[in-house]
Amino acid sequence: MKCTQSKWVNCCLVFGLVLLFNAPSRAQIELSEIDKDLYLISNLEWNVNVVFLVTPKGVLLVDAGNHVEEGRLIVEKIREKTDQPIRYVALTHYHGDHSLGLYGFPENVEIIASSKCDHNLQSLGKDGLKSLSAEIEKLEKEIKDKKTPERADAMRQRIENLEKLQSAVDNKGFLSASLAFEKKLYVGLGGEKVEIIYPGNAHTGGNALVYFPEKKVMVMGDMLFNGSHPYIDFKAGSDTKNWIAWLKKLSAWQIEHVIPGHGKPGGKEILKKQITYLEVLRSEVLSAMRKFKSLEQVKKNVKMTAFKDYGFQSILPYAVEAVYQELKRK
């Protein structure tokens, strides 16, 4: 990859490990066309979405999947549509389920990330990668102890993925984004225009939105979870107030297709669903904080019953804690 080995570290494993036993069973990944030369790869682990643009001068990809093998599968899917080289991978944020697949990509890919994402990668991602051996040992012990035999196959698959990742990190080292930007980056590729935007702190402190203005397509990364509880990363600088403000701002843009980080694509209506979710979450957490003293009591009493059918139920306590810390800070 065109990068400096001393700087860019791959992202934290926290989100992936949290969802390990709540993920859908691995299915055949799907490839569909969003617009002319713009494609969606879906049915990846944890319902992550990856988007790629094909041009006569190469391919631009948004996010890269969760582990080495998944990265390779994504490259294979791209090869079903074009032999053009993958020129750029734009990361929407630093979490492992969106970026660790880079270790399965060709070496000459240029990585685009916001400067804040790069900071998160360095300060938090390195710690996540250092925990690989400990996580493998933990999973092996749980299999040996037979405490959760129904999870054994999923744990063995996870161990295999983590071992491949560990080997890739050992061989390639920690990598650095070729193109880091502050507020906005314009990419022109084969006659196509792409805008990569830093909206400020939201899901993390280093989000990026990828906008294809001529196609009226917005790729949201994890600023949008469609049909599931969002993971809100307070340690990485999340800010749900600004998150809501940006979702409302985007609702007025010329957008016809909205691609979430997790879940099915849609129109602007799924932006409104995320706004409602975050507003209700903030309201319920604030109400609980006024009644109860401890964080644990708040977590037990925020039920979000209007969203009882949402996926990733085990993520809700983390979301509550993130909003609690945010409101307490302010």
Side-chain angles (χ1 to χ4, degrees):
M1 293 184 182
K2 294 181 181 177
C3 40
T4 357
Q5 291 195 349
S6 62
K7 189 179 178 187
W8 189 82
V9 290
N10 237 304
C11 43
C12 178
L13 302 175
V14 171
F15 185 57
L17 297 178
V18 164
L19 293 181
L20 173 59
F21 302 121
N22 299 282
S25 60
R26 186 177 179 113
Q28 180 66 38
I29 63 175
E30 296 181 359
L31 177 62
S32 56
E33 190 172 36
I34 305 168
D35 202 315
K36 186 178 183 297
D37 297 324
L38 187 66
Y39 298 92
L40 170 69
I41 298 175
S42 57
N43 257 7
L44 296 165
E45 289 187 19
W46 307 313
N47 287 327
V48 169
N49 292 316
V50 165
V51 171
F52 67 95
L53 174 70
V54 175
T55 83
K57 297 295 184 180
V59 174
L60 180 145
L61 187 76
V62 184
D63 288 339
N66 175 62
H67 53 76
V68 176
E69 190 59 32
E70 192 164 76
R72 291 171 181 161
L73 290 171
I74 289 169
V75 173
E76 287 178 12
K77 280 294 176 185
I78 293 170
R79 290 290 161 254
E80 291 181 17
K81 294 297 178 182
T82 182
D83 291 328
Q84 287 291 333
I86 301 171
R87 292 277 306 279
Y88 303 104
V89 176
L91 294 180
T92 60
H93 60 298
Y94 83 106
H95 288 150
D97 54 325
H98 293 260
S99 66
L100 290 175
L102 280 166
Y103 278 107
F105 275 59
E107 293 290 327
N108 58 345
V109 174
E110 295 203 58
I111 303 163
I112 300 171
S114 73
S115 296
K116 290 288 183 70
C117 176
D118 191 52
H119 173 76
N120 285 341
L121 289 165
Q122 293 178 61
S123 61
L124 299 173
K126 185 179 291 185
D127 291 338
L129 288 175
K130 284 180 179 178
S131 72
L132 283 171
S133 296
E135 185 60 31
I136 290 169
E137 290 177 9
K138 178 182 174 183
L139 292 170
E140 288 175 338
K141 185 177 186 304
E142 188 164 347
I143 292 172
K144 185 178 179 180
D145 292 344
K146 298 181 179 179
K147 293 180 179 179
T148 53
E150 72 280 4
R151 296 177 176 177
D153 288 344
M155 286 187 286
R156 289 189 186 97
Q157 183 62 59
R158 186 60 176 168
I159 288 169
E160 182 181 340
N161 291 338
L162 291 176
E163 287 175 339
K164 287 181 179 179
L165 175 60
Q166 190 171 47
S167 176
V169 173
D170 290 342
N171 290 332
K172 296 183 179 181
F174 300 126
L175 310 173
S176 174
S178 309
L179 297 170
F181 67 96
E182 295 297 327
K183 294 295 183 182
K184 186 179 288 189
L185 180 70
Y186 294 94
V187 178
L189 184 64
E192 296 282 351
K193 297 178 182 178
V194 185
E195 297 178 20
I196 306 173
I197 304 154
Y198 173 64
N201 297 39
H203 164 66
T204 69
N207 319 277
L209 303 166
V210 183
Y211 184 42
F212 299 88
E214 294 176 355
K215 301 180 185 301
K216 299 181 180 178
V217 174
M218 179 67 76
V219 184
M220 300 289 298
D222 283 4
M223 282 185 66
L224 183 57
F225 286 68
N226 187 16
S228 63
H229 293 282
Y231 179 62
I232 304 173
D233 193 344
F234 181 75
K235 289 184 179 179
S238 63
D239 186 327
T240 57
K241 184 177 180 181
N242 184 58
W243 188 346
I244 291 168
W246 259 90
L247 291 172
K248 289 181 176 179
K249 180 178 180 179
L250 292 174
S251 297
W253 283 32
Q254 293 295 313
I255 299 170
E256 293 181 359
H257 301 282
V258 180
I259 314 299
H262 298 261
K264 293 182 179 180
K268 288 184 182 179
E269 74 282 352
I270 61 175
L271 293 177
K272 294 176 182 177
K273 284 172 62 178
Q274 186 72 81
I275 292 167
T276 300
Y277 179 97
L278 292 172
E279 288 181 335
V280 171
L281 179 62
R282 285 175 61 91
S283 176
E284 289 197 16
V285 171
L286 183 59
S287 177
M289 287 174 68
R290 288 169 175 164
K291 295 178 182 177
F292 306 103
K293 292 183 179 180
S294 72
L295 170 60
E296 289 307 311
Q297 287 175 309
V298 171
K299 288 164 77 171
K300 287 178 182 179
N301 284 276
V302 174
K303 303 295 186 182
M304 295 291 284
T305 54
F307 306 92
K308 63 183 179 181
D309 296 329
Y310 268 31
F312 300 161
Q313 286 288 331
S314 62
I315 291 296
L316 179 56
Y318 296 89
V320 171
E321 182 172 359
V323 174
Y324 173 93
Q325 298 293 353
E326 179 186 335
L327 294 175
K328 188 177 178 182
R329 179 184 62 195
K330 294 181 178 181

